[in-house]
């Protein structure tokens, strides 16, 4: 990790292994890009598809609530960390000595769970593309990720590829959402008047979008680029909201695409729900194209999760070579655990989001405490009362949902 000026001064962002914005894209967009690629991974795609099958149109309410909660969380997290110029673990240690390292352990563990799910997702992608065993595909993909971390210039090329695949993903979602002819009217009704509400589902969505390491990936990128401090408040705020909006659009399109298939009475596969939905809607082309996007999303998420997780257990003074070795080891261990566990990839992806949703209240509580009681860390910035109130309400909600979801997590392995 590079040195950064806590007051938001200019720094040279040269972070090995970090998913960086392609040349020509500003740091704010780069931060949004890092956040989006970390969030829109295989877990995101799988969770949305599985829950659409389970809940039908009622899932629209869960999506709406998760988007609103995500915006409230990111507005506060990006503002506090962005203005202070402190990474989350640094802020935690300022609030209470040693707390940042406790957060680091939790985020690192959550990142490992998520990374196992990400590797599993690459396996699902290769299975959709070529029909090979998901575990073999996951192992090969992990080896590719390790190669990327060992290559000094592969990051720039990968960024450009993922940007292109992200555009393809959105277009593909839009195409399938149109051809599957979903019951849009029913979805709109249940957005505000749902037939049923599942707190585990909502917690999992929030955990998969802003839980664990994902919460801090984008704003850490912004800090690394030297765009922290009160003078960059507008940029910080815009980036935090834009990231969630992009993710929200993707989730709505995928929801409508799968809902259109489900509403026809087609029984989708339980092993690879999303891939089957796209195959039904768009034929063999849909299956292969979705497999490619899912694999790319998984690989980019492996990179994002690995970099951010390792950044929590290292400091700015850690040598680049040491960080790279630790990151490669992190990917390798996650790959071995995935292969040894032998658990269905889809179950791992659902569990990853739920687990990170349980971590979220802890990190968010530290951020809100700093906003409320530690104005000295924000350069005596006058924190908006409305944002503080919204953040406090969302914190209570995330704690409540986290407690409610604990029992539900065990059911995933039943």
């Amino acid at each position: 990790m590079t040195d950064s000026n806590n007051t938001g001064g200019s720094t040279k962002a040269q972070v090995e292994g970090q998913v960086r914005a392609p040349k020509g894209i500003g740091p704010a967009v780069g931060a949004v890009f890092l956040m989006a690629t970390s969030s829109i991974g295989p877990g995101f795609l799988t969770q949305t598809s599985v829950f659409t099958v389970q809940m039908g149109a009622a899932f629209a309410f869960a999506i709406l609530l998760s988007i609103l909660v995500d915006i409230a969380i990111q507005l506060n997290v990006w503002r506090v960390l962005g203005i202070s110029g402190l990474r989350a673990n640094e802020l935690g240690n300022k609030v209470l000595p040693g707390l940042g390292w406790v957060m680091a352990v939790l985020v690192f563990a959550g990142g490992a769970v998520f990374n196992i799910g990400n590797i599993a997702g690459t396996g699902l992608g290769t299975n959709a593309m070529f029909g090979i065993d998901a575990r073999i595909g996951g192992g090969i993909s992990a080896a590719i990720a390790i190669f990327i971390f060992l290559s000094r210039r592969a990051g720039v090329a990968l960024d450009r590829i993922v940007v292109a695949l992200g555009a393809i993903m959105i277009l593909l979602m839009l195409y399938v959402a149109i051809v599957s002819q979903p019951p849009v009217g029913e979805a709109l009704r249940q957005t505000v008047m749902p037939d049923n509400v599942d707190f585990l589902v909502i917690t999992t969505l929030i955990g998969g979008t802003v839980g664990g390491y994902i919460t801090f990936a984008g704003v850490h990128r912004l800090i690394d680029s030297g765009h922290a401090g009160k003078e960059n408040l507008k940029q910080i705020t815009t980036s935090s909201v834009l990231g969630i909006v992009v993710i929200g659009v993707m989730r709505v399109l995928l929801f409508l695409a799968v809902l259109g298939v489900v509403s026809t009475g087609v029984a989708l596969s339980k092993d690879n729900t999303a891939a089957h939905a796209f195959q039904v809607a768009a034929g063999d082309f849909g299956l292969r194209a979705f497999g490619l996007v899912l694999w790319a999303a998984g690989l980019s998420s492996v990179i994002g999760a690995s970099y951010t997780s390792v950044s929590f257990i290292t400091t700015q003074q850690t040598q680049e070579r040491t960080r790279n070795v630790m990151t490669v080891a992190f990917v390798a261990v996650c790959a071995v655990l995935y292969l040894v566990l032998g658990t269905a990839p889809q179950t791992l992806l659902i569990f990853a989001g739920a687990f990170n949703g349980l971590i979220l209240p802890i990190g968010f509580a530290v951020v809100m405490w700093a906003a409320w009681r530690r104005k000295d860390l924000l350069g005596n910035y006058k924190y908006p009362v409305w944002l503080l109130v919204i953040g406090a309400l969302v914190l209570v909600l995330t704690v409540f949902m986290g407690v409610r979801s604990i029992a539900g997590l065990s059911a995933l392995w039943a």
Side-chain angles (χ1 to χ4, degrees):
M1 202 180 307
T2 58
D3 293 338
S4 68
N5 190 321
N6 288 347
T7 61
S10 177
T11 63
K12 184 179 180 181
Q14 294 291 341
V15 183
E16 292 296 326
Q18 180 174 343
V19 180
R20 299 179 56 200
K23 185 177 180 180
I25 291 181
V29 177
V32 170
F33 176 70
L34 176 58
M35 173 189 169
T37 54
S38 294
S39 178
I40 305 176
F44 173 98
L45 302 174
T46 302
Q47 290 162 9
T48 303
S49 302
V50 171
F51 292 144
T52 300
V53 172
Q54 292 179 0
M55 302 182 65
F59 184 47
F61 174 77
I63 293 176
L64 175 63
L65 184 58
S66 68
I67 290 175
L68 294 177
V69 171
D70 292 344
I71 290 176
I73 290 171
Q74 289 291 28
L75 276 175
N76 280 283
V77 170
W78 283 58
R79 182 165 300 209
V80 170
L81 298 185
I83 291 178
S84 69
L86 298 170
R87 295 181 180 84
N89 51 331
E90 295 171 333
L91 181 71
N93 283 328
K94 293 285 186 180
V95 170
L96 181 66
L99 180 58
W101 293 116
V102 173
M103 293 172 59
V105 171
L106 293 173
V107 171
F108 186 82
V113 175
F114 227 122
N115 225 23
I116 295 172
N118 289 333
I119 295 173
T122 63
L124 291 176
T126 55
N127 177 263
M129 283 190 290
F130 309 117
I132 65 175
D133 184 88
R135 294 175 67 182
I136 295 176
I140 294 173
S141 301
I144 293 174
I146 290 174
F147 173 78
I148 290 173
F149 277 114
L150 293 175
S151 176
R152 293 181 60 86
R153 296 189 56 83
V156 174
L158 177 65
D159 287 343
R160 291 170 179 165
I161 292 173
V162 176
V163 167
L165 288 176
I168 293 174
M169 186 187 300
I170 293 176
L171 292 175
L172 180 61
M173 299 296 181
L174 178 61
Y175 169 73
V176 178
I178 293 174
V179 300
S180 65
Q181 299 181 331
V184 178
E186 178 65 10
L188 289 174
R189 181 187 71 80
Q190 298 221 37
T191 299
V192 293
M193 294 186 296
D195 291 341
N196 62 84
V197 177
D198 190 321
F199 285 102
L200 175 60
V201 167
I202 297 172
T203 302
T204 302
L205 290 185
I206 295 172
T209 307
V210 294
Y213 75 94
I214 298 174
T215 313
F216 312 107
V219 69
H220 279 197
R221 165 71 177 91
L222 205 63
I223 293 172
D224 285 340
S225 70
H227 286 73
K230 290 186 288 186
E231 64 274 17
N232 292 296
L233 178 58
K234 182 178 180 181
Q235 190 177 65
I236 293 169
T237 302
T238 302
S239 298
S240 63
V241 175
L242 183 58
I244 293 297
V245 169
V246 171
I247 295 168
V249 169
M250 282 293 300
R251 197 181 294 279
V252 170
L253 289 177
L254 179 58
F255 160 67
L256 291 176
V258 178
L259 182 63
V261 175
V262 172
S263 63
T264 64
V266 175
L268 295 177
S269 167
K270 294 182 179 180
D271 295 325
N272 207 337
T273 307
H276 191 196
F278 275 75
Q279 182 180 27
V280 171
D284 189 63
F285 168 78
L287 175 63
R288 307 305 174 192
F290 180 79
L292 175 60
V293 172
L294 178 59
W295 178 81
L299 185 61
S300 64
S301 293
V302 167
I303 294 171
S306 301
Y307 163 72
T308 310
S309 297
V310 171
S311 74
F312 265 82
I313 61 171
T314 57
T315 67
Q316 297 182 39
Q317 287 69 46
T318 304
Q319 294 294 319
E320 291 182 359
R321 178 176 174 80
T322 302
R323 288 199 306 269
N324 289 340
V325 170
M326 293 177 67
T327 306
V328 167
F330 182 77
V331 176
V333 170
C334 290
V336 170
L337 288 175
Y338 162 64
L339 295 174
V340 171
L341 285 174
T343 307
Q346 192 153 268
T347 302
L348 279 171
L349 293 171
I350 301 297
F351 179 82
F355 182 81
N356 279 279
L358 297 179
I359 295 174
L360 176 61
I362 300 173
F364 192 50
V366 172
V367 169
M368 294 312 303
W369 178 262
W372 180 41
R373 303 293 295 179
R374 295 299 305 272
K375 292 182 174 56
D376 58 305
L377 298 177
L378 305 181
N380 293 317
Y381 166 72
K382 188 176 181 180
Y383 208 80
V385 175
W386 67 269
L387 193 55
L388 194 61
V389 171
I390 291 176
L393 292 174
V394 170
L395 176 59
V396 173
L397 178 63
T398 58
V399 171
F400 171 72
M401 291 189 300
V403 172
R404 287 288 300 267
S405 70
I406 291 176
L409 278 174
S410 60
L412 292 174
W413 304 99

